[in-house]
Amino acid sequence: MTKGGKYVELSGGAELYVRDIGQGEPLVFIPGWTFTLEVFEKQIGHFAKTHRVIAIDPRSHGQSTVTAEGNEYITHAKDLQTVLQALEVHEPTLIGWSFGCLTIWEYVRQFGADSIKSCILVDMSPKALSVNEGDWTEGSLYDIAAAYTNYLCNSKGQRAFVENYARNVMVQRDLNEDELQWLIEQSLNTPYYIAANLFAAGMFSDYRKEARQVSEAVPTLAIVAEHWQDAAKGTLAHISPDVKVEVLGGHLMFWEHDKVFNAIIEEFLKG
C-alpha cells in the first residue's frame, strides 16, 4: 500500500481505496471513467505540501472492490459521502475529472452544496449528449452508439477504445509505448461489462441543473480542453454563467501539462 493509502468500508462490505496525505484545507480528487487515482500522481505530490489531499478509486476502479451493483453515479455520489464522513473531511474542494464530475454533480443533487468550499470540474459537459448544434457533447449520437456497441462488449474492445482515446483526445503529443500501456492498464482494472454500464450511465445523464446550482453556491472552476473550448464556453455560459473557465491542453491536461494545471489550481484556491 502506497503512502497514505487506506480503505473505507461501504455498506454491503465493499471497500474503496483512497489516498489521504498532507495537512491543511482538504482537496478531494475523483478520477474519470474506469481510471484510478494514480492519474493524479503529479497533483497529489504537489498539493500535499500545502493541503490535505484525498484521492479516491471509485468502486470497481483501481484497488477498490469490484461490485456487481452500484456502478453508476447515483451510487458513486453516496460512496463519496461515505468517504467524506469516514475520514472526517469538512468543507472540501471537490476536484473531478471527466466522469468524476458526474459524481460531484450527483453529490450536489443528493446532499446539496452547503458542505463544499469550492469545486473544480475538469473537462466534462453537464449533458454529454445533445441533438442541438453547437452544444458541448462527447460526440454525435451515432459515434457514442458505435463506441458502446463496437468496443465496450469485451476486454479487447475496451482496450482498443482506450488506446484510440488516449492517442487522439487525451494528450497533444505522441505517447511512448510505456505511457500508452500504462493508460490502457488504468482502464482495464475495471471489467468491460462494468465499463460499459458506467459509459452508458454517464452518457445519458443530465446535470445541467446541478451545474448551475453548484456554481451559484460556491466558487467553481471549469478547466476544458482546447479542442472543444468554443462549444464548452458557450454551453457553460448558458448553463452556469458564474463558473470561471480556463482552457488547457487535451482531456488529460493535468497529466501532460501538470505544472501549468497545478498553477491554475493554486491561483483559484487563493481566491
Side-chain angles (χ1 to χ4, degrees):
M1 189 178 295
T2 54
K3 183 178 180 182
K6 61 183 68 176
Y7 285 91
V8 173
E9 186 172 356
L10 306 173
S11 60
E15 294 181 315
L16 291 194
Y17 179 73
V18 303
R19 291 279 305 278
D20 184 1
I21 186 171
Q23 296 181 338
E25 295 184 356
L27 309 178
V28 180
F29 287 87
I30 307 163
W33 176 81
T34 70
F35 278 74
T36 82
L37 61 82
E38 292 183 18
V39 295
F40 295 121
E41 179 182 1
K42 298 175 183 178
Q43 284 69 52
I44 294 171
H46 179 82
F47 287 103
K49 299 172 185 176
T50 55
H51 291 75
R52 182 185 181 189
V53 175
I54 297 101
I56 300 172
D57 276 349
R59 67 168 62 217
S60 302
H61 295 53
Q63 298 184 62
S64 292
T65 306
V66 175
T67 64
E69 68 288 324
N71 295 302
E72 25 67 20
Y73 297 95
I74 294 172
T75 302
H76 280 207
K78 294 175 182 176
D79 292 347
L80 173 60
Q81 173 74 337
T82 298
V83 169
L84 297 179
Q85 290 179 338
L87 300 183
E88 298 182 345
V89 179
H90 305 292
E91 295 190 332
T93 292
L94 300 181
I95 305 170
W97 166 54
S98 193
F99 278 21
C101 297
L102 307 181
T103 300
I104 293 176
W105 287 318
E106 180 61 41
Y107 178 90
V108 171
R109 177 180 289 178
Q110 294 185 43
F111 305 105
D114 292 345
S115 63
I116 302 171
K117 180 175 182 179
S118 59
C119 189
I120 300 172
L121 305 161
V122 183
D123 213 36
M124 185 67 206
S125 173
K127 190 175 188 299
L129 294 179
S130 174
V131 297
N132 298 323
E133 185 176 353
D135 281 356
W136 179 23
T137 68
E138 288 293 307
S140 70
L141 293 174
Y142 176 84
D143 290 339
I144 298 304
Y148 183 87
T149 303
N150 298 334
Y151 288 99
L152 299 181
C153 57
N154 55 57
S155 295
K156 181 179 178 180
Q158 180 182 350
R159 185 183 302 110
F161 178 83
V162 175
E163 178 175 351
N164 180 67
Y165 204 76
R167 290 186 187 277
N168 296 299
V169 180
M170 285 192 171
V171 299
Q172 296 178 312
R173 60 171 174 80
D174 291 335
L175 293 162
N176 65 46
E177 191 61 26
D178 287 343
E179 291 172 330
L180 178 61
Q181 291 306 313
W182 182 78
L183 288 171
I184 292 171
E185 288 166 6
Q186 282 274 307
S187 179
L188 294 182
N189 281 291
T190 301
Y192 73 87
Y193 49 90
I194 293 177
N197 197 76
L198 290 164
F199 184 84
M203 288 299 170
F204 286 104
S205 63
D206 183 353
Y207 287 109
R208 290 173 293 178
K209 178 181 177 181
E210 289 71 28
R212 178 181 290 272
Q213 179 183 347
V214 72
S215 70
E216 291 176 344
V218 300
T220 302
L221 170 66
I223 307 177
V224 302
E226 293 174 2
H227 55 260
W228 47 34
Q229 61 174 298
D230 292 340
K233 287 179 177 179
T235 297
L236 292 173
H238 175 68
I239 292 174
S240 49
D242 294 317
V243 70
K244 176 179 173 59
V245 180
E246 297 282 355
V247 178
L248 178 65
H251 190 54
L252 201 60
M253 78 285 281
F254 57 88
W255 181 81
E256 183 180 7
H257 305 291
D258 58 289
K259 290 183 174 59
V260 178
F261 180 90
N262 291 348
I264 290 172
I265 298 301
E266 286 177 336
E267 187 64 27
F268 173 74
L269 294 174
K270 287 178 184 178

